[in-house]
Amino acid sequence: MSRKIVAGNWKMNKSIAETHALVQELNEMARAWPSDVKVIISPPMLYLTQVAVNVEDNLHVAAQNCHAEKSGAYTGEVSAAQLKSSEINFCILGHSERRQYFGETDASVNAKVKSCLAEGVTPIVCIGELLEERETGKEFTIVEAQLRGGLKGLSSAEIEKCIVAYEPVWAIGTGKTASSDQAQEIHAFIRTKLAELSSQEAADKISILYGGSCKPANSKEIFSKPDVDGGLIGGASLNASDFNALINSY
Ligand code: 13P
């Protein structure tokens, strides 16, 4: 099985009409995508079910968050079980924006990861250090703590079902990308830690995506690194031709 994935995180962007238009454009491009690259888009929660019934077979749909409980009195929330029942099979968890603005912690990410796995939804677990953490040489410590916290208590078989996204916070939406060597260094470290938490065999199967100002101009170089298995793309995923170029940059 190929580890290659290009995932688009649309964040809180686009109206329903704009969403349909972008999905239509992507559907038309989907036939030409390499068969060994899994392509995922993550529109706002409100549009997920409409998008899921309108995408080509090789275009997958992810939520940007979910609640850890299966059901109950949690006004405004959506559970992993509800995602699964709407045929949404992927869920981004622990994005730095959720950590920064919505109080997401490693413990809450961990509870959500468990709930996704219990429902058969693949979690895309986001980790990454802040600028001041990198400037003070703490990036490896932070990334390891987030990884261990997010995957705490999971069996090796469960860890193998996760996708990990390394997104240095200083590179998100800033136009500042990690160099391909910086990305490779952290990705290799993450794979070593995944092997410690599960097994080398499991770690070798897990996709580790890079996120942070990834665009057609730099994706070829970043994706060429052995432990970079693709990207979690923000801004450039909102434009069909940019996203298409990213997918075809493999
Ligand atoms: P940008 O590609 O816009 O930097 O965003 C990255 C991101 O946060 C993807 O989840």
Side-chain angles (χ1 to χ4, degrees), residues 117-128:
L117 289 170
E119 301 298 337
V121 173
T122 301
I124 303 172
V125 185
C126 302
I127 55 178

Side-chain angles (χ1 to χ4, degrees), residues 9 11 95 97 126 167 171-174 211-214 232-236:
N9 176 8
K11 309 190 180 182
H95 191 281
E97 287 146 20
C126 302
E167 300 204 303
I172 296 177
T174 57
S213 298
C214 197
L232 180 55
I233 319 298

Side-chain angles (χ1 to χ4, degrees), residues 60 63 80 85 103-104 106 125 127 137 141 165 177 207 210 218 223 226 249:
H60 304 271
S85 74
E104 196 81 85
D106 292 337
V125 185
I127 55 178
T141 316
T177 326
S207 302
Y210 169 78
N218 56 32
F223 294 177
S249 67

Side-chain angles (χ1 to χ4, degrees), residues 118-192:
E119 301 298 337
V121 173
T122 301
I124 303 172
V125 185
C126 302
I127 55 178
E129 79 285 358
L130 304 170
L131 181 60
E132 73 240 36
E133 291 164 344
R134 178 160 281 262
E135 284 175 345
T136 49
K138 295 196 188 105
E139 65 270 30
F140 292 97
T141 316
I142 296 295
V143 160
E144 181 173 357
Q146 290 179 344
L147 190 71
R148 287 186 183 276
L151 304 182
K152 196 171 173 184
L154 300 188
S155 68
S156 182
E158 287 172 322
I159 291 175
E160 197 180 311
K161 290 189 182 128
C162 296
I163 297 167
V164 175
Y166 168 63
E167 300 204 303
V169 180
W170 48 271
I172 296 177
T174 57
K176 243 189 194 180
T177 326
S179 70
S180 56
D181 288 336
Q182 280 174 323
Q184 169 57 26
E185 185 184 34
I186 290 260
H187 281 230
F189 173 76
I190 292 169
R191 202 174 303 284
T192 305

